[in-house]
Amino acid sequence: MCDKCSENPHQSIAPSRRSMMLFAASALGVAAFGGAALAKEAKEVKAPPKPQNVLSPDAALKRLMEGNSRYVSGVSRRHDFTHEREALVGGQNPYAAVLSCADSRIAPEYAFDSGRGDLFVCRVAGNFAGDETVASMEYTVAVLGTPLILVLGHDNCGAVDATIKSLKDDKPLPGHIPTLVAAIAPSVKTAAQQSGNALDNAIRQNVIDNVAKLKSATPLLNAAVEQGKLKVVGGIYRLRTGTVELLAQS
């Protein structure tokens, strides 16, 4: 069964009052966000191309984790990508955004058993929120109406490990890699004060710090969080099992 059909076979494709309100709110977000191109895109989306993606933040998180459970259990759905491509030509309304490490072993679309147009994914080694990533997350929240952001770290992260070693040896890495080290270093230094495995602690702290950064990013993300329109959470992907373990929310 395809992802579209399995969500709710009796659901009408007509836009609900709630969905129209959400997209009206998105249009207001565009005004704050600025830019004629963004405003044009928001106006062109008359109704959500995937009505089943219009969810509350809590419902979005529940759906995300249910997808991970299917993936871990080996019962991922068969997705009708042909149908989804056609439906998404005129726009998108992903139900969740994921900031993930660029590690080739981490694939959020697979890990959460998602269809096309379900996840808005940003990937960078070390899963940290630089300026471009914050801007991308502002776009998906303010323009596309995405109600959930997940910062997804993973065990044995090479970028975090390289940062630990670079700081310990006081030896800069080649090329542009020092920019990754500079971004991850504050979390590594905080984790160094904690007991236990240094790498595991730094990976966890890096997720926690970037969740906090996105939740407090002004003027768009923090406002959406305060208004209850957005939830920002963190998790760790376990390479051996494929399980995503959510971190306790502060």
Side-chain angles (χ1 to χ4, degrees):
M1 180 178 291
C2 72
D3 184 48
K4 177 180 178 65
C5 298
S6 61
E7 290 295 330
N8 188 344
H10 303 295
Q11 186 170 17
S12 168
I13 61 173
S16 66
R17 183 171 181 270
R18 172 180 168 77
S19 66
M20 294 304 291
M21 290 177 65
L22 285 171
F23 274 80
S26 296
L28 292 176
V30 171
F33 194 74
L38 298 183
K40 181 176 181 292
E41 178 174 339
K43 289 179 181 178
E44 288 176 349
V45 180
K46 303 297 183 182
K50 301 190 79 170
Q52 67 271 31
N53 283 3
V54 180
L55 299 168
S56 69
D58 288 335
L61 181 58
K62 181 175 183 290
R63 178 176 169 188
L64 196 69
M65 297 311 295
E66 287 174 346
N68 180 242
S69 294
R70 292 193 301 273
Y71 168 74
V72 170
S73 301
V75 292
S76 295
R77 294 169 176 167
R78 177 186 177 276
H79 297 284
D80 183 0
F81 291 120
T82 301
H83 175 83
E84 289 181 335
R85 282 197 296 269
E86 180 181 354
L88 294 165
V89 169
Q92 58 173 319
N93 64 310
Y95 77 89
V98 181
L99 168 54
S100 169
C101 184
D103 192 300
S104 64
R105 298 167 293 180
I106 315 301
E109 292 84 356
Y110 289 141
F112 297 106
D113 188 22
S114 63
R116 194 178 301 272
D118 287 342
L119 301 182
F120 186 94
V121 179
C122 295
R123 302 186 67 178
V124 62
N127 48 267
F128 63 88
D131 289 345
E132 295 83 358
T133 299
V134 173
S136 296
M137 292 299 176
E138 288 177 333
Y139 174 83
T140 195
V141 171
V143 179
L144 305 180
T146 304
L148 175 70
I149 295 174
L150 169 67
V151 179
L152 184 63
H154 67 96
D155 47 16
N156 300 321
C157 181
V160 176
D161 190 38
T163 300
I164 293 174
K165 292 176 180 177
S166 179
L167 294 177
K168 181 179 179 181
D169 299 338
D170 194 21
K171 182 179 180 181
L173 297 173
H176 292 81
I177 299 177
T179 62
L180 300 179
V181 172
I184 301 170
S187 298
V188 168
K189 292 175 181 178
T190 298
Q193 310 302 317
Q194 302 166 1
S195 60
N197 183 280
L199 179 56
D200 290 345
N201 289 343
I203 289 169
R204 179 185 178 88
Q205 189 63 48
N206 185 46
V207 171
I208 291 172
D209 289 347
N210 282 284
V211 167
K213 181 174 183 177
L214 289 172
K215 288 175 70 173
S216 62
T218 58
L220 300 180
L221 298 184
N222 73 321
V225 170
E226 291 172 1
Q227 294 165 13
K229 298 177 180 178
L230 173 68
K231 182 184 289 287
V232 185
V233 299
I236 305 293
Y237 179 92
R238 300 303 179 189
L239 293 172
R240 187 173 298 276
T241 65
T243 301
V244 172
E245 299 175 2
L246 293 179
L247 301 183
Q249 300 176 43
S250 57

